[in-house]
Amino acid sequence: MIKECVLYKKEGDNVRCLACSHKCIISEGRSGICGVRKNISGKLILLVYGKISSLGIDPIEKKPLNHFLPGTKTYSIGTVGCNFKCDWCQNYDLSQNSKEAGISGEEMTPEKVVSEAIRTKCKSISYTYNEPVIFIEFVKDCAILARKKGLKNILVTNGYFSKESFDFIADYIDAMNIDLKCFNDRDYIKYCGGNLQPVLDTIKKSYENGIYLEITTLVIPGINDSQKELTSIAKFISSIDKKIPWHVNRFFPMYNMVTTSPTSIESLEKAYKIGRKYLDNVHLGNI
Ligand code: SF4
Ligand code: SF4
C-alpha cells in the first residue's frame, strides 16, 4: 500500500514536500525530516500509507478531549515518524523510529480502519500517537469514509501544518487537540526542531474554520514552567476564545530528558491558577 503523496511539487531534480511547515526539499533516494516521505524516482512516496504501528480503543478523554463526545470511545491510530524531535517525547519509540529502525506497522486500508472503528463501537477516529500531518493523505482517505459512516474525525497534533495541508484536510476534521509546547521560538527550535508561528497559525485557523479545539501543554521544569511562559500561553488561547479548554499536563522523565525531575504538583497548581485567570476551562493531566 505504498502510495504517492498528493502534497508535493517538483523543483528541478528534487521534490518539495508541502505537508508541513518544514517544506523539505528532498533529493532522489532521500526522505524528509519526518523519515516517512521519500523521493523515489522523482515521485514523493508516503512510506507509511496504511502502515499502522500503534492502535488503541481509547476513552476520548485520553486524547485529551474533555468536551467533545464525552464518555465515548475513539478508535486511535498512528504510524512511525514525526516532523518534530521533542526531547521529552513520550512516544519516541514511534515518533523517532523511522529515522533509525526503518518503517514498520500492520497494513490497514481506510475501509478496514473505518469498519473496525464501527465494530468496536467507537464514535470517532483519532489520528494520534505520532504526528498525523506526515501521513495526511491516509488521514484524508480514512476521514472521507468515516464521515460517510457517521463517525467523527479527530487530529491530535503538534500543529505544524502548512497552508496546503490545512486546506487539504480542514473540511473533514471535527475536532483537534493541538500541542502548544511553549511560547518562544528559541525553545521550539532547540527542543522540538520547528518554529512557534505555524503552530499559532494552525490554532487560529482551526478555530476560524469551526473545528472543535482543545489545547495541551506539557509543563516541563526549567523549560516552560515560568510565570511569563505560562501566562503568555494562557493569554494567547484566551485571545482566540476563553472557552477553549487548556490541558496542563505533568511531565515525567523520558527520552532525552531522563535526568529532569517530574513536574511538581505545586508547579501544576500554579499553571492552573494562571490558566483560570484567563480561561474558563483548565484541566490538569497525568497526575
Ligand atoms: S511532512 Fe514535513 S517533515 Fe515530512 S517530508 Fe514533508 S515537509 Fe518534510
Ligand atoms: S510532536 Fe509529539 S510525537 Fe512528535 S516528537 Fe514531539 S512529542 Fe513526540
Side-chain angles (χ1 to χ4, degrees):
M1 275 205 295
I2 287 176
K3 286 243 178 151
E4 185 177 354
C5 299
V6 176
L7 293 177
Y8 82 98
K9 63 180 180 181
K10 293 207 181 250
E11 272 192 14
D13 293 338
N14 303 319
V15 299
R16 182 184 288 274
C17 179
L18 303 173
C20 86
S21 271
H22 285 308
K23 299 254 175 106
C24 299
I25 297 174
I26 309 170
S27 58
E28 166 64 32
R30 304 295 295 267
S31 300
I33 290 169
C34 58
V36 304
R37 300 170 75 90
K38 183 172 184 179
N39 180 345
I40 300 177
S41 304
K43 289 182 176 174
L44 192 63
I45 302 298
L46 179 54
L47 301 175
V48 292
Y49 187 96
K51 275 210 160 53
I52 305 304
S53 308
S54 192
L55 194 161
I57 296 160
D58 294 329
I60 198 162
E61 289 78 7
K62 203 175 157 189
K63 293 302 94 193
L65 285 175
N66 281 29
H67 303 271
F68 183 80
L69 301 177
T72 63
K73 294 183 294 180
T74 185
Y75 195 78
S76 302
I77 56 171
T79 71
V80 296
C82 190
N83 52 354
F84 276 8
K85 55 165 191 62
C86 309
D87 277 338
W88 48 80
C89 183
Q90 315 276 306
N91 286 333
Y92 69 93
D93 50 338
L94 273 185
S95 72
Q96 307 305 310
N97 186 24
S98 61
K99 299 164 191 174
E100 290 160 16
I103 307 296
S104 60
E106 183 194 338
E107 298 270 347
M108 284 185 92
T109 61
E111 290 78 8
K112 177 86 172 162
V113 170
V114 171
S115 66
E116 283 298 295
I118 293 168
R119 188 184 67 76
T120 53
K121 300 192 170 24
C122 292
K123 300 291 181 208
S124 59
I125 299 175
S126 290
Y127 309 92
T128 178
Y129 302 129
N130 66 328
E131 173 48 46
V133 80
I134 68 171
F135 59 95
I136 200 74
E137 290 89 352
F138 183 67
V139 171
K140 186 166 179 177
D141 289 349
C142 293
I144 290 170
L145 278 180
R147 272 276 171 87
K148 284 186 186 154
K149 298 288 184 185
L151 296 172
K152 304 290 187 194
N153 291 300
I154 296 165
L155 291 178
V156 181
T157 171
N158 61 28
Y160 210 57
F161 280 67
S162 60
K163 180 187 181 306
E164 290 84 352
S165 58
F166 189 85
D167 292 347
F168 181 72
I169 199 68
D171 285 350
Y172 301 95
I173 299 303
D174 301 288
M176 287 167 99
N177 186 300
I178 303 179
D179 268 1
L180 185 48
K181 295 171 188 291
C182 59
F183 210 76
N184 70 84
D185 212 36
R186 185 201 61 215
D187 287 342
Y188 251 95
I189 294 166
K190 178 176 175 186
Y191 295 110
C192 308
N195 297 92
L196 170 63
Q197 191 58 49
V199 181
L200 302 184
D201 293 344
T202 299
I203 292 172
K204 280 188 204 146
K205 280 196 292 183
S206 301
Y207 182 80
E208 287 161 7
N209 276 264
I211 296 171
Y212 176 78
L213 201 56
E214 299 193 15
I215 307 292
T216 296
T217 300
L218 187 70
V219 180
I220 306 166
I223 292 182
N224 62 359
D225 61 343
S226 68
Q227 182 90 13
K228 178 170 175 278
E229 198 73 2
L230 293 167
T231 302
S232 299
I233 295 174
K235 279 172 99 169
F236 169 75
I237 300 169
S238 165
S239 74
I240 298 172
D241 187 338
K242 71 186 183 72
K243 291 191 177 64
I244 295 173
W246 185 33
H247 299 262
V248 284
N249 284 356
R250 190 177 193 201
F251 160 85
F252 288 98
M254 191 66 74
Y255 190 36
N256 292 330
M257 299 193 72
V258 285
T259 57
T260 303
S261 303
T263 322
S264 66
I265 297 299
E266 294 73 35
S267 186
L268 279 181
E269 284 171 351
K270 180 180 84 177
Y272 179 84
K273 275 189 195 147
I274 292 170
R276 286 293 285 120
K277 264 175 82 176
Y278 301 97
L279 299 165
D280 288 351
N281 292 297
V282 181
H283 300 280
L284 299 184
N286 295 350
I287 49 176

